[in-house]
Amino acid sequence: MNRLAVELPGLSLKNPIMPASGCFGFGREYAKFYDLSVLGAIMIKATTLEARFGNPTPRVAETPSGMLNAIGLQNPGVDRVINEELPWLAQYDVPIIANVAGSTVEEYVEVARRISKAPNVHALELNISCPNVKKGGIAFGTVPEVAAELTRAVKEVSDVPVYVKLSPNVTNIVAMARAVEQAGADGLTMINTLLGMRIDVKTAKPILANRTGGLSGPAIKPIAIRMIYEVSQAVSIPIIGMGGIESAEDVIEFFYAGASAVAIGTANFIDPYVCPNIIRDLPNVLDELRIDHISQCTGRGWNNGQTVYCGT
Amino acid sequence: MKENMKIIANRQIAKDIYELTLAGSLVQRMRTPGQFVHMKVANSGPLLRRPLSLCDINQEANECTIIYRAEGAGTTLLSQKLPGDTVDVLGPLGNGFSVSALSSGQRALLVGGGIGVPPLYELAKQLVKKGVFVTIVLGFQTKDVVFYEERFASFGETYVATVDGSYGMKGFVTDVIHHHRLSFHVLYACGPKPMLRALANEFPHQDVYLSLEERMGCGIGACFACVCRVPHSETAYKKVCSDGPVFRAGEVVL
Ligand SMILES: Cc1cc2nc3c(=O)[nH]c(=O)nc-3n(C[C@H](O)[C@H](O)[C@H](O)COP(=O)(O)O)c2cc1C
């Protein structure tokens, strides 16, 4: 028995660990460190219809236990992703989740339609939560009706299941989750970054050229846990959780909150081997907790362990 | 590519400037001057790694030297580390200075500004070993932060300028170059962007290599934090960490 294997819409994962979108490029850099086939899946960098340069630099700033980024969805455009990046990734035995972004409904639909036809794309992640672009992104992620309409439009054209990436920059994340579930989303991914800012004490100017950026890393983990805990009890579609994960114990905590798989972002920058290390450590942590299979952890934080079978 | 390297020495050599010597097997991978390492100073404290240029590579002793300025939380913490402590090092990373651009008997001009000076040391060492004649121009803000003047002087004629005139010639590195009418086959520079821009504008028709600095995330080319633009294009880019940090003048927009 593979104690780490999980089944999600469109995704048969050998383990529930995947790098988060925007934190792993299209895999080429990390492939120099380890065999990407060990990963459960890969969430590739946000893709838009045309190539985008993104925001001016500085694009990152450090914060206590976290970092701010304002990359601005830099990417080579959907055609080059389909013609160059996805075929390169096909050499690895790993399903790809394509992160889809845009500034209009039409753009999202067109990117989704094209990229969902690539043979190794097993699911889409609809990015309605990027805080770093003026138009689109988060504008679609804060009003339930708008998010639902976009989800419906993308579902209509996508050849693969659609996961919607939720923004934490909302007052009622449960309402957002319910709206996209009703619109046909096959799953949720959460959370994207929290809007934040830093100002240089010497110059009195914002450190990021974009002024504001998205906060990620361990600093946001408690927020992610709380939101997944709330949303997982309100919807019946699976959640891929993310936000500050650094260790196998963190992974278990996300599962307990209600996640069925997890993604790892910022931690890749600190340790390029973090994903394979967590995959290696997970069985030992399950042993310590006397849990047979990782899936038995999902929702244990709120279902009182009812569906959880404790081994031996 | 990642190792807990042992601190052999960590001493102050000028105001807020420290010279750190590390030992470990990663040194055997270090070849090119201008490459950098990405350092995690401690498990608690600052989250991200810090990019630091290699100053001296000593493969026989399995040691390398890095010079840094203690200015933020990470480098201040690093300045408190003692011999015997370890630091988590990823590297060597990036593409450094092309030593093969010159052959024996030719002339190189090495220009460094402030904390951009260190990578020129290994470069000077390798060029001199090849029989290249080197001239060195170092620019600093003020006398207190001048370092490595004598060390560079052992490789070739070395000039120092300070912005406030408290040491060497008053002014910028370009003033020194004009004043002494320094000429070269190849110019190599590392320092603040205004300095690099001035040098690129000054010598538009010559072979000029510039090492850039930018705030980095991953240091390996995955996060797109440290990109710069390429001339005459709306979308083309180079990543400072993995395409650079050394570029030919004109290759990227400064
Ligand atoms: C540098 C950087 C770039 C990111 N780019 C994207 C992106 O293109 N699309 C997206 O949906 N999320 C993006 N994110 C958000 C991450 O995928 C993730 O949701 C978030 O960082 C929280 O996880 P973490 O704390 O493990 O990093 C980015 C995050 C960072 C730090």
Side-chain angles (χ1 to χ4, degrees), chain B residues 1-253:
Chain B
M1 286 248 270
K2 184 163 133 10
E3 184 183 10
N4 286 322
M5 294 185 80
K6 192 167 148 202
I7 297 178
I8 302 298
N10 189 17
R11 63 184 190 101
Q12 193 170 359
I13 56 170
K15 185 169 181 287
D16 297 331
I17 309 287
Y18 291 79
E19 182 193 61
L20 173 71
T21 305
L22 299 173
S25 57
L26 274 191
V27 175
Q28 296 308 317
R29 292 167 166 262
M30 299 172 182
R31 292 248 138 66
T32 319
Q35 283 193 302
F36 66 97
V37 295
H38 216 21
M39 192 183 292
K40 175 98 171 129
V41 176
N43 284 330
S44 55
L47 184 71
L48 297 175
R49 288 173 181 273
R50 297 290 187 274
L52 297 165
S53 292
L54 292 169
C55 170
D56 190 10
I57 306 167
N58 183 345
Q59 293 194 325
E60 291 82 65
N62 230 12
E63 289 178 8
C64 64
T65 301
I66 284 152
I67 290 175
Y68 62 95
R69 180 164 59 208
E71 50 185 344
T75 42
T76 302
L77 199 62
L78 182 59
S79 70
Q80 291 155 4
K81 291 255 175 180
L82 299 170
D85 291 349
T86 59
V87 283
D88 174 355
V89 175
L90 182 68
L93 301 173
N95 297 299
F97 291 107
S98 161
V99 177
S100 60
L102 283 171
S103 43
S104 178
Q106 288 191 296
R107 270 169 298 126
L109 181 60
L110 278 53
V111 182
I115 205 63
V117 165
L120 301 180
Y121 183 77
E122 177 67 25
L123 176 63
K125 196 173 94 183
Q126 293 196 16
L127 288 171
V128 167
K129 197 170 164 197
K130 234 184 127 170
V132 173
F133 297 108
V134 302
T135 304
I136 299 123
V137 180
L138 308 177
F140 297 98
Q141 279 300 321
T142 185
K143 186 180 178 200
D144 294 351
V145 293
V146 175
F147 61 89
Y148 264 44
E149 184 190 3
E150 316 83 73
R151 295 270 214 131
F152 276 102
S154 70
F155 293 129
E157 194 93 52
T158 300
Y159 303 91
V160 175
T162 51
V163 177
D164 66 0
S166 56
Y167 189 83
M169 185 175 166
K170 180 175 161 66
F172 297 106
V173 290
T174 39
D175 298 325
V176 175
I177 296 172
H178 285 156
H179 186 79
H180 296 281
R181 303 201 175 146
L182 302 177
S183 66
F184 55 87
H185 292 105
V186 176
L187 187 154
Y188 301 93
C190 183
K193 248 196 197 145
M195 182 193 102
L196 301 180
R197 216 176 279 137
L199 290 168
N201 291 338
E202 194 84 21
F203 305 105
H205 306 299
Q206 283 192 264
D207 231 355
V208 175
Y209 292 89
L210 307 170
S211 180
L212 268 59
E213 251 203 4
E214 190 56 76
R215 271 174 195 266
M216 289 182 190
C218 66
I220 61 170
C223 77
F224 289 76
C226 64
V227 297
C228 47
R229 286 190 181 273
V230 169
H232 318 299
S233 168
E234 279 300 302
T235 54
Y237 63 88
K238 297 271 180 187
K239 300 171 193 166
V240 173
C241 67
S242 57
D243 296 318
V246 176
F247 295 98
R248 262 200 139 96
E251 199 181 339
V252 296
V253 178

